[in-house]
């Protein structure tokens, strides 16, 4: 049994408990004792204020290969699946970050990047997508200058676990299974720079169009899976009825634009994506063409983002 005098005082107890913690400041942006954010694994100054974000690690590596050769790049792969490459392009510091897929991963990126970088930021997503326009084939790069909406599954629209009586009590039966949001715009100046650069590099293979982000690659993108009750046969037709100008569909760009628009002006964002498949024709891009567009479009976006003025001191 310990005597009272043998117990550590409050300050010592706090230090002991802090050293044992997985991270600190759990109600804000959690960081470890070295100041690294939890999911990206980064701390200042490892991340540049200009960021190209991609889903695929191999796309990030192709863009990293375009960095200036006289500056050794910083590389970090986090325990949560993010890979960061920071170097320079035309003498301007820039990072490429692969996130994996989905809005939650984009949420981690934007928030933890904002917590890591001082001053204004620019983020451009260069993703992959499907085309929901019959006239836009695989091998096209679409700059989402008009912005992005989001399509999300509404669980209450499916009833209360199949119990129609309980569903009627909660009003679930009157709710649509999918929700279509309003459009979030990109920063107009950054989006214009991305579009101009893509057009100069890719010519007719680049065009502009509205994007729709979704919370699933399957249900809310209208893919039919007989193993689940998805009620998604009309997802694409309803999208076209609401937004006849919609061209692309993917999973991340809406979250990027939404958070940038909520950043009190500190984050400028834009998005573009390579069309990998057309949902009407079912045609799919070749691996060779995808890799060529990752490099060519990546170079165009590197030029756009490193030329974009951030107003740094």
């Amino acid at each position: 049994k310990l005597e009272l005098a043998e117990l550590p005082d409050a300050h010592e107890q706090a230090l002991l408990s802090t050293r044992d913690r997985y991270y600190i400041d759990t109600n804000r942006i959690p960081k470890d004792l070295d100041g690294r954010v939890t999911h990206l694994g980064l701390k200042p100054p490892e991340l540049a204020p200009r960021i190209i974000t991609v889903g695929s690690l191999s796309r990030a590596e192709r863009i990293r290969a375009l960095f200036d050769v006289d500056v050794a790049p910083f590389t970090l792969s986090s325990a949560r699946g993010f890979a960061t490459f920071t170097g320079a392009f035309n003498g301007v510091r820039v990072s490429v970050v692969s996130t994996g897929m989905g809005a939650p991963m984009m949420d981690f990126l934007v928030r933890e990047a904002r917590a890591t970088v001082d001053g204004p930021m620019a983020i451009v997503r260069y993703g992959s997508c499907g085309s929901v326009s019959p006239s836009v084939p695989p091998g096209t790069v679409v700059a989402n200058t008009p912005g992005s909406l989001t399509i999300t599954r509404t669980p209450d629209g499916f009833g209360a676990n199949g119990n129609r009586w309980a569903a009627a009590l909660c009003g679930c039966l009157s709710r649509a299974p999918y929700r279509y949001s309003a459009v979030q715009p990109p920063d107009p100046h950054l989006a214009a720079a991305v579009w101009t650069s893509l057009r100069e590099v890719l010519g007719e293979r680049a065009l502009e169009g509205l994007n729709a982000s979704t919370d699933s690659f399957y249900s809310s993108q209208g893919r039919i899976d007989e193993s689940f009750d998805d009620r998604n046969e009309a997802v694409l037709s309803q999208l076209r009825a609401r937004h006849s100008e919609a061209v692309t569909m993917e999973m991340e760009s809406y979250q990027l634009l939404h958070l940038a628009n909520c950043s009190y002006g500190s984050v400028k964002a834009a998005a573009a994506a390579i069309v990998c498949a057309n949902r009407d024709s079912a045609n799919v891009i070749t691996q060779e063409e995808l890799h060529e567009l990752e490099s060519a479009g990546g170079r165009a976006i590197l030029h756009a983002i490193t030329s974009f003025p951030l107003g740094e001191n």
Side-chain angles (χ1 to χ4, degrees):
K1 182 178 179 180
L2 287 172
E3 297 295 334
L4 192 59
E6 297 175 2
L7 295 174
D9 63 24
H11 177 68
E12 292 173 333
Q13 187 65 49
L15 288 176
L16 288 170
S17 60
T18 297
R19 292 192 194 102
D20 292 337
R21 290 178 190 171
Y22 175 41
Y23 53 70
I24 57 175
D25 207 3
T26 191
N27 290 315
R28 293 184 180 273
I29 303 294
K31 299 178 182 179
D32 67 16
L33 292 180
D34 196 31
R36 295 186 178 277
V37 291
T38 301
H39 303 90
L40 297 183
L42 299 170
K43 67 176 183 177
E46 295 168 347
L47 190 65
R50 292 172 172 85
I51 300 167
I52 298 174
T53 176
V54 300
S56 160
L57 175 59
S58 61
R59 186 173 311 133
E61 291 173 335
R62 285 188 178 86
I63 297 173
R64 176 200 59 180
L66 303 172
F67 284 178
D68 295 346
V69 296
D70 57 343
V71 177
F74 165 84
T75 301
L76 186 142
S77 295
S78 81
R80 295 304 187 98
F82 295 87
T84 299
F85 307 98
T86 299
F89 183 79
N90 290 338
V92 179
R93 199 160 173 266
V94 63
S95 294
V96 179
V97 182
S98 68
T99 64
M101 296 180 69
M105 299 297 275
M106 182 61 73
D107 193 78
F108 285 134
L109 168 66
V110 179
R111 293 180 186 275
E112 293 190 0
R114 177 66 285 172
T116 304
V117 175
D118 290 330
M121 297 173 60
I123 305 177
V124 177
R125 169 168 154 76
Y126 188 40
S128 57
C129 65
S131 168
V132 295
S133 171
S135 63
V136 178
T140 306
V141 174
V142 180
N144 301 130
T145 311
S148 179
L149 68 141
T150 186
I151 305 170
T152 51
R153 184 180 178 112
T154 308
D156 285 349
F158 291 79
N161 297 322
N163 187 324
R164 294 185 64 83
W165 179 81
L169 285 180
C170 72
C172 296
L173 294 179
S174 64
R175 298 176 189 172
Y178 295 92
R179 176 183 174 274
Y180 298 75
S181 76
V183 173
Q184 286 284 334
D187 177 80
H189 305 292
L190 181 57
V194 168
W195 163 241
T196 299
S197 190
L198 285 171
R199 191 69 169 182
E200 287 176 352
V201 171
L202 300 176
E204 296 297 321
R205 290 192 295 171
L207 56 82
E208 296 175 290
L210 180 68
N211 180 65
S213 293
T214 65
D215 61 352
S216 169
F217 182 79
Y218 294 101
S219 66
S220 49
Q221 290 195 11
R223 289 184 170 86
I224 304 304
D225 182 354
E226 292 81 1
S227 299
F228 295 92
D229 175 15
D230 287 323
R231 308 181 198 183
N232 63 347
E233 294 81 2
V235 162
L236 292 180
S237 62
Q238 289 178 3
L239 169 63
R240 289 162 176 158
R242 288 171 165 83
H243 297 280
S244 60
E245 72 278 25
V247 174
T248 58
M249 178 175 274
E250 46 78 85
M251 298 177 64
E252 296 82 18
S253 294
Y254 178 89
Q255 188 71 4
L256 168 60
L257 301 183
H258 170 60
L259 285 179
N261 288 330
C262 293
S263 72
Y264 303 106
S266 70
V267 179
K268 311 295 185 185
I274 303 166
V275 174
C276 292
N278 184 280
R279 296 297 301 278
D280 290 275
S281 69
N283 290 333
V284 178
I285 197 170
T286 66
Q287 289 277 2
E288 181 180 1
E289 188 173 17
L290 174 60
H291 296 165
E292 187 267 326
L293 287 172
E294 288 176 331
S295 294
R299 182 179 293 277
I301 292 174
L302 276 168
H303 177 77
I305 198 169
T306 55
S307 302
F308 185 73
L310 282 181
E312 303 105 318
N313 295 326

